[in-house]
Amino acid sequence: MPEIVASLPVLTLVAVLAYALGSVPFGVVITRALGLGDLRSIGSGNIGATNVLRTGNKAAALATLLLDAAKGGMAVVIARYAVGEDAAQLAGLAAFLGHLYPVWLRFKGGKGVATFLGILLALAWPAGLAACATWAVAALIWRISSLAALMAAAFSGLWLFVFDQGRMLALVFVLTVLVYVRHWANIQRLKAGTEPKIGAKRA
């Protein structure tokens, strides 16, 4: 953990603003803007890029992926340069919680994978790139987005050690636990062998 230097009012403001940024549901906004319907009534009902892909619009899915990652990364970068490293880690956590539990959607948000990776890239880009590579390799081998996400999150702590970024381990551990909590239903389907593959549509 970094040394806490910023004052409580400043950190509180950072947390509120980062949560607001993280809570923007880009998947819902993009699908509505393109006339693809309400994302929450499509496929799994999730607001992330994997479910956007089930609409058949790859460009919309890519835009959702990039914007969900960017909002987490931007929260970290802005807080780091405006306040400091203590605020950067808090902003990452707050933005992640905003994506998972957005006030605009009655606290029913996404599973946080893209936002998690965006935060990690901003906090420690070598570890972030390694986590992205972990996701890509797992997705290429098994073609299951949730499994790739779980593996990327699970290995993120290892990548922090490899790249000597242990001061971020506590935050990334919390984010990883939240990723697993949000993927609980996916984990059960993985155990049952019924988890859909990337690009497959769900009734």
Side-chain angles (χ1 to χ4, degrees):
M1 290 290 293
E3 181 183 359
I4 305 300
V5 177
S7 66
L8 180 59
V10 169
L11 291 176
T12 300
L13 178 61
V14 167
V16 170
L17 294 177
Y19 171 86
L21 177 58
S23 67
V24 177
F26 284 113
V28 174
V29 173
I30 290 170
T31 51
R32 283 184 177 176
L34 295 177
L36 300 173
D38 186 348
L39 187 59
R40 292 168 293 176
S41 63
I42 297 171
S44 66
N46 189 260
I47 66 171
T50 299
N51 201 41
V52 175
L53 186 60
R54 295 189 178 106
T55 67
N57 193 315
K58 295 181 179 179
L62 178 60
T64 300
L65 175 70
L66 294 177
L67 288 170
D68 279 349
K71 67 185 182 182
M74 287 303 298
V76 170
V77 170
I78 293 171
R80 174 179 282 155
Y81 283 98
V83 182
E85 191 61 34
D86 51 349
Q89 292 205 31
L90 177 61
L93 175 60
F96 193 70
L97 291 174
H99 180 76
L100 267 55
Y101 309 105
V103 64
W104 325 113
L105 301 180
R106 297 182 181 180
F107 304 103
K108 296 178 181 179
K111 296 181 180 178
V113 180
T115 307
F116 174 91
L117 293 175
I119 291 167
L120 192 56
L121 282 166
L123 285 172
W125 66 264
L129 286 178
C132 289
T134 302
W135 186 97
V137 170
L140 183 63
I141 294 173
W142 289 287
R143 304 294 299 172
I144 300 176
S145 179
S146 60
L147 178 59
L150 292 168
M151 292 186 68
F155 276 91
S156 60
L158 172 63
W159 298 131
L160 288 175
F161 274 117
V162 169
F163 294 104
D164 194 26
Q165 298 292 334
R167 69 186 184 281
M168 299 172 185
L169 188 58
L171 170 63
V172 172
F173 174 78
V174 172
L175 299 185
T176 298
V177 170
L178 288 171
V179 166
Y180 272 73
V181 168
R182 296 294 287 175
H183 281 79
W184 183 249
N186 302 86
I187 293 171
Q188 301 310 305
R189 288 193 295 270
L190 284 168
K191 290 180 179 179
T194 58
E195 183 73 340
K197 295 189 180 249
I198 293 173
K201 292 186 178 181
R202 294 182 57 181

